[in-house]
Amino acid sequence: MTLTISPEIVAVNELSGVSKRSRITFVSGIVITAALFAIGGWARRWIADDGLTVLRTVRNLLAGNGPVFNAGERVEVNTSTAWTYLIWFFGWLTGARLEYVALGVALTLSVTAIVFAMLGAARLWGVGGAQLLLPAGALVYIAVPPARDYATSGLESGLVICWLAVLWWLLIRWSRTEKAGTAGVFGLSFVAGLAPLIRPELTVVGALALLMICCAPPTGIRLRAWPFRALIVVVAGLAPVAYQIWRMGYYGLPYPNTAVAKDAAGAKWRQGFGYLWNLVGPYWLWVPLVVLGVAAIVAVRSAGFDRKPARVGGWLRTPAAVVALMVGSGVLLTGYEIRVGGDFMHGRTLLPPLFCLLLPVMMLPLKPSAAQADSRRTRLIMSAALVATAGWALFAADTTAIETGSRISSAGIADERLYYIQNTGRAHPIRAEDYLDYPRMRAMVRDIAASPNGGLLINSPTFTNWHIVPPPRPVPDGGAGHTVFYVNLGMIGMNMPLDVRVIDPVGLAYPLAAHTFRFPDARIGHDKNLDSDWAVVDAGMVDRHPWMPWFLDEGWVTRIRTAMTCPQTRDLLDATRAPLTPDRFRRNIQKSLEYARYRIDRVPENEIERCRVPGHN
């Protein structure tokens, strides 16, 4: 996705009828802010291990294996459907290395987001009444270090804020247009409907936007109200509903496997509040939020925007309602992130809520119309707020939130970019081979090359060396294939051929691990940990000493083999591994909710008892 509309051209159209100086100030503010964000994002460019995980699925798509992480096992490893297919499209179109495709697309979307966020704020404040508009909230967002870290990273962060910015801009235009037109409303509805494909939790934002559009009485539309509203729902739901049906039939789940692995419906309030403070505390982020909040109230009282319905569309079709929607969405998303315990990456999942909260003040009027009696006092307040915001931005932009040498806090929250810079020895780890300098990666590659018969690679309990569990004899011609069982899916998956199966104890790419119970106080995002004994049994490798590593117990493995005969567990695995026939597709749809709720116990004795395995009561 590229920015096809020049920000300068759009900005001039937004400012028709405003003085030349105001135009220059406004356009310059957009260009300079966007340039600063682009430069900041490029200076901190990198691709995360999780970003490489996305690219493994794209590689399989391009190879004709389908949207899977491992060929022959239908698992939706990527949380953002739209991001996966966006990278696939540009990878197919350009033929470039996927790491560079992800880097370029992510940075482009991030910069595009900040541009449309400012354009929406300009329309909000009614540019004809404000003499000067300056990028206050935009400066706050780009000053926060995680915002620049995740402007690249290979993850969907740039796509998420770009979707929020475009939705905001379209909603503000809709709220200020007397006759939006059928095509305009349908276009807005389609964009809002994309929410669950961008990221599942954004469904709340898209649903609230659609509710607002549907409930606001249509103006300038020839169709009758209720048929028109029905069409809005159809247009909005076309893409997400079609994909949802396909997802349930293909993957056997109603949402990405990552939501199962991380128990996205679970509650970890204490960890969530810790994650919030991990972002707010080091940067004193509450300072600009309070300052800009007060400045926005002063600006509303002085210059103002439409707070009362100025047309037949009612209050729901006013800028004030749009502001309430986006700020309210920011609050709801923040509450959700706190409830689920946040994330292990510093600030990442709180960036979209922060972006929502800042949207109304992405640009603020320095001074209102000269007709206002209190304009001098207002100018002083607004000037002070903008100076304070700029001063805070200089402080925050150079602040390091996590001081520990490992770049991981005591709560398990990591400055991921600096962590991987430190552990790879590269200033910008982008390509898959850059991660071969990560501990244990080159040894893994050597061990695979040295075992032509295939086998299961598992790491020692001390994480110092690899062990290969061999396949049973007779070994087929060409070997039995390799499986790697380790937590770093991205760097392994992208450095391995697609015929090497890569699974993880956390469960992002491994359904058996995903459907275990998580440990209550473990590190967020890593709070499931399936023992490698299960992978030995599941992969069908030799399960006796001396071929099996010394730290694995034969009795434990035997009981795991019994536990895995549980009919419900076999059915769950068949949902992703059995041939995708029409009957299998239909059964997956019918049982997708049941599969999503299903859990196994990692202790085989408990699992045998839970399942009441036949013959082992």
Side-chain angles (χ1 to χ4, degrees), residues 157-335:
S157 301
L159 175 62
V160 169
I161 63 169
C162 189
W163 177 81
L164 288 169
V166 171
L167 179 65
W168 156 254
W169 178 68
L170 289 172
L171 283 170
I172 289 292
R173 286 176 63 89
W174 169 74
S175 71
R176 283 197 173 276
T177 303
E178 185 69 31
K179 295 182 179 180
T182 305
V185 175
F186 285 164
L188 171 59
S189 303
F190 180 80
V191 170
L194 292 176
L197 301 180
I198 305 296
R199 249 189 98 86
E201 64 265 31
L202 294 180
T203 301
V204 66
V205 186
L208 289 173
L210 287 171
L211 187 63
M212 172 184 284
I213 298 166
C214 285
C215 291
T219 57
I221 305 295
R222 294 183 180 181
L223 294 174
R224 297 181 63 180
W226 285 109
F228 180 66
R229 287 168 177 151
L231 283 174
I232 287 175
V233 174
V234 170
V235 170
L238 195 62
V241 170
Y243 183 80
Q244 183 64 19
I245 294 171
W246 182 84
R247 166 189 277 155
M248 293 164 70
Y250 188 80
Y251 296 112
L253 288 174
Y255 34 71
N257 185 65
T258 51
V260 179
K262 297 185 179 183
D263 275 350
K268 286 195 170 184
W269 290 99
R270 183 179 60 82
Q271 288 179 294
F273 281 111
Y275 185 69
L276 176 65
W277 185 247
N278 183 260
L279 176 66
V280 174
Y283 310 115
W284 291 48
L285 190 54
W286 58 270
V287 171
L289 293 178
V290 171
V291 168
L292 292 182
V294 171
I297 293 172
V298 172
V300 168
R301 291 170 61 89
S302 300
F305 54 82
D306 296 337
R307 286 164 286 172
K308 297 180 181 180
R311 53 183 68 86
V312 183
W315 183 83
L316 284 175
R317 197 172 164 191
T318 61
V322 177
V323 168
L325 168 69
M326 300 310 291
V327 172
S329 295
V331 172
L332 289 174
L333 289 174
T334 302

Side-chain angles (χ1 to χ4, degrees), residues 298-491:
V298 172
V300 168
R301 291 170 61 89
S302 300
F305 54 82
D306 296 337
R307 286 164 286 172
K308 297 180 181 180
R311 53 183 68 86
V312 183
W315 183 83
L316 284 175
R317 197 172 164 191
T318 61
V322 177
V323 168
L325 168 69
M326 300 310 291
V327 172
S329 295
V331 172
L332 289 174
L333 289 174
T334 302
Y336 171 76
E337 293 301 335
I338 293 173
R339 184 182 188 276
V340 299
D343 190 42
F344 65 93
M345 300 186 197
H346 169 62
R348 182 178 77 100
T349 58
L350 287 173
L351 290 175
L354 175 63
F355 195 79
C356 285
L357 294 173
L358 289 171
L359 281 172
V361 293
M362 284 290 180
M363 301 205 85
L364 273 178
L366 178 61
K367 58 181 181 178
S369 170
Q372 296 292 335
D374 61 347
S375 60
R376 183 175 180 181
R377 183 180 65 182
T378 299
R379 285 198 297 271
L380 288 173
I381 294 173
M382 301 303 291
S383 298
L386 292 168
V387 169
T389 299
W392 171 89
L394 290 174
F395 151 76
D398 197 37
T399 299
T400 300
I402 299 177
E403 301 285 354
T404 58
S406 67
R407 301 300 178 183
I408 302 177
S409 73
S410 58
I413 301 169
D415 186 328
E416 283 278 290
R417 187 183 69 89
L418 288 178
Y419 172 82
Y420 283 118
I421 287 174
Q422 177 179 305
N423 282 278
T424 62
R426 295 178 179 269
H428 302 288
I430 294 172
R431 302 170 303 169
E433 54 263 37
D434 293 340
Y435 280 88
L436 289 175
D437 292 321
Y438 187 81
R440 298 173 293 277
M441 289 302 108
R442 292 193 186 277
M444 176 201 68
V445 174
R446 288 195 301 267
D447 288 349
I448 287 178
S451 56
N453 285 343
L456 171 70
L457 271 76
I458 56 179
N459 217 257
S460 64
T462 55
F463 297 102
T464 54
N465 59 290
W466 295 95
H467 294 267
I468 299 181
V469 186
R473 295 184 181 276
V475 178
D477 293 339
H482 289 92
T483 297
V484 183
F485 182 70
Y486 197 62
V487 69
N488 293 109
L489 286 174
M491 63 180 74

Side-chain angles (χ1 to χ4, degrees), residues 79-95:
T79 303
S80 173
T81 302
W83 181 241
T84 300
Y85 286 97
L86 196 62
I87 300 303
W88 166 79
F89 173 75
F90 281 104
W92 169 81
L93 184 67
T94 63

Side-chain angles (χ1 to χ4, degrees), residues 95-121:
R97 282 195 63 143
L98 293 178
E99 295 96 325
Y100 296 138
V101 171
L103 188 78
V105 173
L107 188 58
T108 300
L109 288 172
S110 297
V111 176
T112 302
I114 212 73
V115 170
F116 275 95
M118 289 187 284
L119 291 176

